Amino acid sequence: MKINKLLPLILFLITLNGFAQSRFKEKKEQIRALKIAFITDELKLTTDEATKFWPLYNNFEEKQRELKQQKIRSYMKRFESGEVEKMSDKEATNFLNQMENTEDEMYQLRKKFVSNLKDILPPIKIIKLKKVEEDFNRKLLQQYRDKGIPK
C-alpha cells in the first residue's frame, strides 16, 4: 500500500529533476551561443579565423573546465569542511604544493592555447581575447543580477 502512494511521488521527483537538468543544459547552450557571437563580433573574426579558432577555443575551455572540476573544487571542499584548520604543517605544505601545481597546470594550458593561436590569429586579436572574455563574463553577470540569465 505504501509503495502505491510513494511511486507517483518518486516518479514526479524524477521527472522534475530531469526537467531541471534539461532546462539547465538549455541555458548553458544559450550562454555558449551568446559567448560565441560576442567573441566573434568583438574580435572581428573572419570566416577562416573563426573556423580554425572555435575548435581550438572549445578544446581549451573543456580542458580548463575539467581541471577546475577535478582539482579546484576538491580544494574548495577542503576549505569549506574545515579540514584545512586541522592540518599539520606537513599536510598544509603538501596541500599548498598541490594548489601550486594546479595553478601551474592552468597557466601551462593557457600558454599552450595562446601558442596555438599564434598560427591562427594576429597578435592583436590574441591580446584582445582575454579582455573580450572578461567583458563577456562581466556582461553576463550584470544581466544575471539585473533580470536573470537571458531567455
Side-chain angles (χ1 to χ4, degrees), residues 22-137:
S22 172
R23 185 144 166 88
F24 176 75
K25 285 181 183 179
E26 235 177 69
K27 290 295 181 188
K28 190 176 177 181
E29 283 302 312
Q30 186 180 18
I31 290 169
R32 186 172 178 268
L34 290 170
K35 186 175 186 177
I36 289 170
F38 186 81
I39 291 174
T40 300
D41 184 53
E42 291 293 312
L43 291 182
K44 296 175 180 32
L45 296 177
T46 66
T47 305
D48 186 47
E49 288 172 339
T51 303
K52 294 174 184 173
F53 171 79
W54 284 110
L56 188 65
Y57 185 84
N58 291 336
N59 185 43
F60 165 71
E61 286 273 296
E62 179 64 23
K63 286 181 181 179
Q64 193 175 42
R65 186 188 62 75
E66 287 173 6
L67 186 59
K68 284 179 182 178
Q69 279 184 339
Q70 237 176 28
K71 298 185 179 180
I72 294 175
R73 285 192 181 165
S74 70
Y75 299 158
M76 294 310 294
K77 285 179 185 176
R78 292 173 90 174
F79 281 114
E80 291 167 0
S81 70
E83 186 180 329
V84 173
E85 301 296 325
K86 301 171 189 169
M87 287 183 178
S88 67
D89 283 345
K90 184 177 180 181
E91 290 170 328
T93 300
N94 287 338
F95 184 50
L96 183 59
N97 288 336
Q98 289 172 356
M99 291 172 63
E100 289 172 342
N101 288 339
T102 299
E103 289 295 322
D104 188 51
E105 284 180 64
M106 295 286 282
Y107 170 74
Q108 293 300 326
L109 184 61
R110 182 92 184 170
K111 189 175 175 179
K112 182 179 178 186
F113 171 64
V114 169
S115 177
N116 290 336
L117 283 180
K118 290 177 182 178
D119 296 333
I120 298 170
L121 299 176
I124 193 70
K125 288 184 181 183
I126 296 171
I127 292 168
K128 287 180 180 179
L129 176 61
K130 184 70 173 165
K131 181 182 182 314
V132 169
E133 287 173 314
E134 290 172 4
D135 289 348
F136 177 79
N137 291 335

